[in-house]
Amino acid sequence: MIKIDSYEYYYNPEDGKYYIRKRKSSTHPLKKIKDKLNKSKDKKDRKDKTSKGNKGNRSDDAANKGNKLRDKADATNKTNKSRDRAHTANETNKSYDKAATANETNKAQDRANTVNEMNQFHDKADTVNEMNQFYGKADEMNETNKLDEKMSKVDITEHSLYRMSIKNNHNHPIKVSIVMPTYNKYHQTSLSLYGLSKQTFSHAEYEVILVDDASSDNTSDILKEVDVPFKFKYIQMKQNKGRSSVRNIGINHAEGDLLIFLDGEMLAPPAFIENHYKHHVHESNLVVTGAMHYEGVYTFIMPDYNEDQVAHLKQLVNNDAEYRRLYENYEQTQQHLNVPCPLVTKEDIDTNRFQRLSFPNRYFLNSGLKHFGERLEGFTLPYIAFLSGNVSVRKANLKKSGLFDETFVGYGAEDWELGYRLYKNGVQFVLDPSTVAYHQEHGISKRKVKEQWGNHYRFVKKHPNIDVLILSLEWKELPFMHLHQTLVEYNELEERFPDEYNELTHAFRTMLFRIIEYLNNGQPVTKLYDLPEDSEERMKIHQQFETLRPRGFDYLASSFEQIYYL
């Protein structure tokens, strides 16, 4: 940076002009100009006084008159020279403006086109420090502008499997990372991101990582459409990899110590992050879920709704005249277009009006979990609370137990399998209704059922333990309370009678495994443990079974009976 006090002006008598050059003395060059101008002014004042005094004492002597006239002429000439010098100083200032190359000097000199303006500037900058302060403020403004530009741009990283774009990139420590996988849910995901932008949690302390599993709809437009206050990482897969893989990619790019897994179509209320986070502040070994208190909502009329969903939506729109009008208009004018029709707006989210189209689904709670309280105390299958649509866990716990198993492709069981590993490592599971999010309903793919059985089969093959195999009874639509009681009695049976029921317990575990195996293979679920009538093993199983109820193992006897005689 060129400093003003490095230069001085000098007068060239040959052409009568002033120039600037490198300063040789410590005197500030601007101060020299000011001193010269003041000196010229003082000389002029003295000459004026002399001139007035001569006029007051003039005599009739002609020689004196001539002298006075000459003095007056000399004074006039000197005054003119003083004015010339002032004019020359102005010219010097203009030349100085052209010569200075630093941005800071130009800004100051632009304001000093006249001598008066130059003096005003000098009054503000009598010392070099004041000048530097002025330039320091300019530097701060430049840095602020650079920061604004950085915040508004998108940082892009290419990878062999995906492309990651980051909006609002900053270095502030992130406490919570929300990992959201999505696939062809453009409309719902846009609303989900809007809901996350309204959080009470500090926007600088959480990030959202949206992992797009190679969607074929308009999901890629979200990056340029959304205006969010948090750090936003959009990861676009180059080919479809499945839920487990994309979540793991999100985990690997997460900066927060706490991870919240949230499906792309989940609409989060304002206190959602805060309510998850508060549980983990004082405890480091938790899994917190809001998925057990499931809330559904119809934010769009989707063309692939099944008959039950259409009938349900028709009921709910009657709760609001405007929603009913929109639905009737859709039926009359848009139904044939085969495109989503919006019902819920961003304003509806701000005012909670969208809740008129919401409904509870308490499947898990109604199947027995509500009897075990918020911490599922005594429940033998707590890992089923790890539902990745809405669950939080510390990254350290995942590092210890491992990430999602990427051999699970498609829908179902990949979250339960990870939850099971966390459970075996001693993690405490917590159900909190204040962490609930609203699932935006969409069409249900017919593939999901087959995918679910396939992943469940992988689960039981990987962990062929009784506390995993027991989930096969869900196929018989038995409530989770029944599954829990059956497992409690099975464990008690082996503890109390370690060698007395070997044939029965072996047959029970085998049948539970085959239920999932047959479903995965598309086979009829029959003859799960078919033995010849007169076989010794069959006779032992029957004898052992007959003693179950008399000894108080009613749930175990009931469960065994329902699958043994298929």
Side-chain angles (χ1 to χ4, degrees):
M1 182 175 76
I2 298 177
K3 294 187 177 180
I4 291 176
D5 58 355
S6 300
Y7 295 86
E8 65 179 0
Y9 80 94
Y10 70 96
Y11 176 72
N12 186 351
E14 293 182 1
D15 56 10
K17 294 183 179 181
Y18 282 81
Y19 295 88
I20 61 170
R21 64 187 174 192
K22 277 281 187 175
R23 176 185 162 209
K24 295 182 179 179
S25 64
S26 60
T27 307
H28 198 293
L30 296 181
K31 187 174 184 304
K32 280 187 174 184
I33 295 174
K34 189 174 181 179
D35 292 339
K36 288 285 186 180
L37 294 175
N38 291 337
K39 186 175 180 180
S40 297
K41 185 178 179 181
D42 292 338
K43 287 182 178 180
K44 179 184 176 182
D45 292 340
R46 285 196 301 270
K47 291 297 181 182
D48 287 343
K49 289 179 181 179
T50 302
S51 176
K52 290 178 182 179
N54 288 338
K55 288 180 181 179
N57 296 314
R58 67 179 179 226
S59 66
D60 294 333
D61 189 87
N64 287 339
K65 287 183 179 181
N67 291 334
K68 290 178 182 179
L69 288 173
R70 283 194 300 271
D71 291 342
K72 187 175 182 179
D74 291 338
T76 301
N77 290 334
K78 289 180 180 181
T79 301
N80 291 336
K81 288 180 182 180
S82 178
R83 289 174 181 171
D84 289 342
R85 288 184 180 179
H87 177 72
T88 303
N90 288 337
E91 292 298 321
T92 300
N93 290 337
K94 293 177 182 179
S95 175
Y96 186 91
D97 287 340
K98 296 177 182 179
T101 58
N103 291 334
E104 298 90 336
T105 304
N106 288 337
K107 290 179 182 177
Q109 295 301 323
D110 285 341
R111 298 173 185 168
N113 291 329
T114 66
V115 173
N116 288 336
E117 289 175 330
M118 179 64 79
N119 288 337
Q120 290 174 5
F121 174 77
H122 286 197
D123 290 339
K124 296 179 181 179
D126 289 331
T127 65
V128 174
N129 288 336
E130 288 176 334
M131 290 295 293
N132 288 338
Q133 289 175 4
F134 174 80
Y135 295 132
K137 291 179 181 178
D139 291 338
E140 288 178 8
M141 292 178 65
N142 289 335
E143 290 299 321
T144 302
N145 292 335
K146 289 178 183 178
L147 180 60
D148 291 340
E149 290 174 4
K150 184 176 180 180
M151 293 294 286
S152 63
K153 73 177 183 178
V154 176
D155 295 331
I156 298 175
T157 304
E158 289 288 347
H159 189 275
S160 60
L161 296 177
Y162 55 85
R163 184 187 198 197
M164 182 170 71
S165 306
I166 306 178
K167 264 189 175 182
N168 301 333
N169 202 1
H170 60 75
N171 295 322
H172 193 283
I174 297 293
K175 292 182 178 179
V176 180
S177 295
I178 300 176
V179 178
M180 296 178 67
T182 187
Y183 178 70
N184 286 344
K185 300 286 190 306
Y186 163 71
H187 296 89
Q188 288 91 347
T189 302
S190 295
L191 283 185
S192 296
L193 291 172
Y194 180 77
L196 288 171
S197 71
K198 299 296 181 178
Q199 294 297 298
T200 56
F201 201 78
S202 170
H203 294 149
E205 295 181 334
Y206 70 96
E207 65 178 355
V208 175
I209 306 171
L210 180 68
V211 191
D212 176 5
D213 200 9
S215 295
S216 58
D217 63 359
N218 296 331
T219 301
S220 60
D221 292 339
I222 284 177
L223 181 65
K224 62 177 178 285
E225 291 175 353
V226 297
D227 182 18
V228 292
F230 47 78
K231 179 181 283 192
F232 178 49
K233 297 175 181 175
Y234 173 64
I235 300 176
Q236 186 177 28
M237 302 299 298
K238 295 180 180 179
Q239 59 180 343
N240 189 274
K241 298 293 289 183
R243 299 162 185 263
S244 295
S245 292
V246 299
R247 286 197 186 100
N248 286 345
I249 289 172
I251 293 169
N252 290 331
H253 285 289
E255 299 175 38
D257 292 329
L258 178 65
L259 302 178
I260 299 178
F261 296 104
L262 190 67
D263 280 350
E265 63 270 24
M266 301 299 282
L267 192 57
F272 174 77
I273 298 176
E274 186 176 346
N275 289 336
H276 265 286
Y277 182 76
K278 68 183 181 183
H279 288 282
H280 298 273
V281 173
H282 302 296
E283 295 186 70
S284 61
N285 210 32
L286 294 182
V287 163
V288 179
T289 180
M292 297 296 180
H293 297 81
Y294 181 101
E295 292 283 342
V297 62
Y298 292 95
T299 54
F300 293 85
I301 306 172
M302 305 299 291
D304 58 349
Y305 281 156
N306 61 34
E307 292 182 1
D308 291 338
Q309 289 174 310
V310 171
H312 191 197
L313 177 56
K314 283 184 177 180
Q315 283 183 320
L316 291 175
V317 294
N318 290 323
N319 295 334
D320 186 282
E322 178 60 18
Y323 288 142
R324 184 171 65 249
R325 185 192 66 78
L326 288 171
Y327 187 85
E328 290 172 350
N329 181 66
Y330 168 81
E331 284 189 317
Q332 295 170 8
T333 63
Q334 301 181 51
Q335 196 167 13
H336 66 285
L337 297 178
N338 200 37
V339 294
C341 175
L343 287 173
V344 171
T345 65
K346 293 178 180 179
E347 290 74 19
D348 293 344
I349 295 173
D350 292 337
T351 61
N352 290 326
R353 183 166 168 255
F354 74 95
Q355 292 180 355
R356 298 177 187 178
L357 294 177
S358 68
F359 60 94
N361 184 345
R362 301 290 186 260
Y363 167 71
F364 290 99
L365 295 179
N366 293 337
S367 294
L369 270 66
K370 62 184 176 184
H371 299 289
F372 298 97
E374 183 181 89
R375 296 223 165 198
L376 295 177
E377 294 176 6
F379 185 51
T380 55
L381 305 168
Y383 63 87
I384 67 170
F386 196 87
L387 294 168
S388 55
N390 176 7
V391 69
S392 61
V393 62
R394 282 185 178 269
K395 189 189 294 183
N397 295 125
L398 288 182
K399 298 289 185 182
K400 180 180 178 182
S401 300
L403 306 187
F404 287 92
D405 185 340
E406 296 186 11
T407 64
F408 287 73
V409 179
Y411 177 77
E414 84 285 350
D415 44 7
W416 278 1
E417 192 277 327
L418 175 53
Y420 184 72
R421 283 183 273 131
L422 289 165
Y423 163 60
K424 288 300 184 181
N425 279 319
V427 173
Q428 170 74 56
F429 290 77
V430 177
L431 313 184
D432 183 1
S434 75
T435 62
V436 72
Y438 292 81
H439 179 266
Q440 299 179 70
E441 300 299 294
H442 49 76
I444 301 173
S445 172
K446 294 179 180 179
R447 288 186 330 211
K448 277 192 173 182
V449 175
K450 182 170 178 55
E451 290 175 355
Q452 184 174 11
W453 291 127
N455 280 342
H456 198 154
Y457 182 54
R458 289 184 182 87
F459 187 14
V460 297
K461 282 183 68 178
K462 185 174 181 179
H463 306 283
N465 307 319
I466 187 61
D467 53 356
V468 172
L469 292 169
I470 202 74
L471 292 178
S472 302
L473 293 175
E474 194 184 4
W475 170 75
K476 290 291 292 182
E477 298 183 352
L478 298 175
F480 280 103
M481 177 59 81
H482 187 103
L483 273 60
H484 162 76
Q485 292 293 352
T486 299
L487 183 56
V488 168
E489 292 181 3
Y490 180 94
N491 291 332
E492 183 182 351
L493 183 75
E494 288 203 321
E495 183 179 350
R496 290 175 55 189
F497 309 100
D499 300 317
E500 191 171 329
Y501 289 89
N502 289 340
E503 288 76 14
L504 184 141
T505 55
H506 173 74
F508 188 53
R509 290 195 303 268
T510 300
M511 290 188 294
L512 292 173
F513 181 86
R514 286 178 178 171
I515 289 173
I516 304 301
E517 183 180 34
Y518 290 0
L519 288 169
N520 179 57
N521 296 334
Q523 298 175 235
V525 185
T526 59
K527 299 181 180 180
L528 294 174
Y529 206 75
D530 193 18
L531 296 171
E533 287 287 339
D534 56 349
S535 70
E536 183 179 354
E537 183 180 359
R538 181 183 178 93
M539 291 177 61
K540 285 185 177 180
I541 290 173
H542 281 222
Q543 291 171 357
Q544 293 166 11
F545 177 77
E546 293 298 326
T547 64
L548 288 178
R549 284 189 172 94
R551 287 179 169 176
F553 299 103
D554 297 296
Y555 281 95
L556 179 57
S558 172
S559 297
F560 185 91
E561 192 173 36
Q562 291 192 57
I563 61 176
Y564 182 71
Y565 291 109
L566 287 173

